[in-house]
Amino acid sequence: MGKILTMPFDGSMEGATATTAPQDVSREDAATFDVLRKMREDILCCVLKPDQRLRFGELRQRYGTSVGTLREALSHLVSEGLARTEAGRGFQVAPISLADFLDLSELRVYLETSTLADAIRHGTDAWEAEIVSSYFLLAKLAAPRQDDPVSVKREWGKRHKRFHDSLVATCTSPWSLHFRSELFDQARRYHWLTMIHARSRRRNEHLDLRDAVLARDVDLACGLIEKHIRTTVQQAASEVPGLTLEMAKRKKA
């Protein structure tokens, strides 16, 4: 039986492990980890676009690796719901829909508010310091634009995730944190598309969140994170081409 590649709850590949001891991890495993990390981030940042066909020839050139490594990495992405495969048709990036985003967001509201409330009740000085520093780093970068280099998009995404992760870091439920992180990553593609196509400007909701959490105001902080999530859905529905409330209603019918 082959080794199972796993990723830490924060979605990064740092500290990734296999089911075998570290000394048993082969070069092939390391190559798969590296390609999986790059492909995953490219999908989450919409560099690889929803529904895009993932052709091995193009992927080999892009990531400089073998077909076998690509196939293993793609299998992991399929298990995460970020890619799909059909018999005889190969792999493609998972599609998006407003119905999917609404479903994700309803679950996120529940998990974000519950983990945030628990984190505030168990917050420490170190937790507060990480919130302050992660917000500072996020605020140093403007939200990326469609024509920005991939490196800029990745760095903003890394800092954005770090800030949101810092808010809930002292939550005492590992399972809640795990599923919260999974849903956060699944929603990232919708965040990117909303930012890229945004026509309206929003206030600095991250600053409001930071201040409410540092003030240990559970009700205000939970209300703000819920509004933050729901406002993004509303903006996506009205400004992202192809994502409409009518489409979601037809899918539910």
Side-chain angles (χ1 to χ4, degrees):
M1 182 176 179
K3 292 184 282 296
I4 299 173
L5 304 182
T6 60
M7 299 176 66
F9 289 172
D10 67 357
S12 72
M13 295 302 295
E14 295 177 4
T17 59
T19 55
T20 54
Q23 61 268 26
D24 295 329
V25 175
S26 66
R27 290 182 180 180
E28 289 77 12
D29 293 322
T32 300
F33 276 127
D34 185 54
V35 173
L36 174 58
R37 175 183 59 81
K38 291 176 180 176
M39 290 186 67
R40 189 174 192 272
E41 194 63 21
D42 282 346
I43 291 174
L44 294 176
C45 291
C46 293
V47 175
L48 297 174
K49 296 175 174 56
D51 289 313
Q52 180 175 334
R53 187 71 61 188
L54 297 170
R55 296 179 172 87
F56 282 102
E58 296 172 359
L59 295 176
R60 285 188 66 187
Q61 185 175 13
R62 182 182 185 88
Y63 299 106
T65 191
S66 67
V67 170
T69 297
L70 284 171
R71 191 176 297 279
E72 187 171 356
L74 284 166
S75 296
H76 285 286
L77 291 170
V78 169
S79 70
E80 292 182 45
L82 294 175
R84 291 188 177 182
T85 183
E86 296 181 22
R89 298 190 63 185
F91 294 88
Q92 69 181 92
V93 178
I96 60 169
S97 70
L98 188 57
D100 180 59
F101 194 22
L102 287 167
D103 192 23
L104 276 173
S105 298
E106 288 304 310
L107 289 171
R108 284 194 65 219
V109 166
Y110 171 74
L111 283 171
E112 290 284 357
T113 53
S114 61
T115 53
L116 183 58
D118 190 62
I120 292 173
R121 296 187 187 102
H122 295 90
T124 62
D125 290 346
W127 168 74
E128 290 186 355
E130 171 60 13
I131 291 171
V132 171
S133 61
S134 62
Y135 173 79
F136 174 80
L137 291 172
L138 176 61
K140 295 284 285 184
L141 293 180
R145 298 170 298 181
Q146 188 169 10
D147 57 349
D148 280 338
V150 173
S151 59
V152 172
K153 295 177 180 178
R154 286 176 176 165
E155 182 60 27
W156 190 91
K158 179 181 177 181
R159 296 188 190 192
H160 181 244
K161 181 172 174 60
R162 176 179 170 179
F163 171 71
H164 276 279
D165 286 350
S166 74
L167 298 176
V168 299
T170 51
C171 172
T172 57
S173 170
W175 279 112
S176 294
L177 287 172
H178 169 64
F179 287 115
R180 176 216 154 263
S181 182
E182 290 288 315
L183 291 173
F184 184 93
D185 280 346
Q186 289 289 338
R188 279 180 60 191
R189 294 194 296 163
Y190 295 97
H191 297 162
W192 282 114
L193 292 172
T194 303
M195 282 193 297
I196 288 170
H197 296 286
R199 298 188 300 271
S200 57
R201 298 190 64 181
R202 291 162 61 174
R203 63 176 294 148
N204 192 341
E205 296 167 17
H206 294 127
L207 177 60
D208 294 339
L209 267 170
R210 183 202 69 178
D211 291 346
V213 172
L214 292 177
R216 307 294 182 105
D217 190 328
V218 172
D219 291 338
L220 177 58
C222 288
L224 287 172
I225 193 65
E226 178 175 357
K227 183 178 179 181
H228 186 59
I229 294 168
R230 295 192 188 282
T231 299
T232 302
V233 175
Q234 293 166 2
Q235 188 175 21
S238 62
E239 299 182 4
V240 176
L243 287 183
T244 63
L245 287 172
E246 289 70 24
M247 178 189 296
K249 291 176 181 177
R250 288 199 299 270
K251 285 181 177 290
K252 290 182 178 180

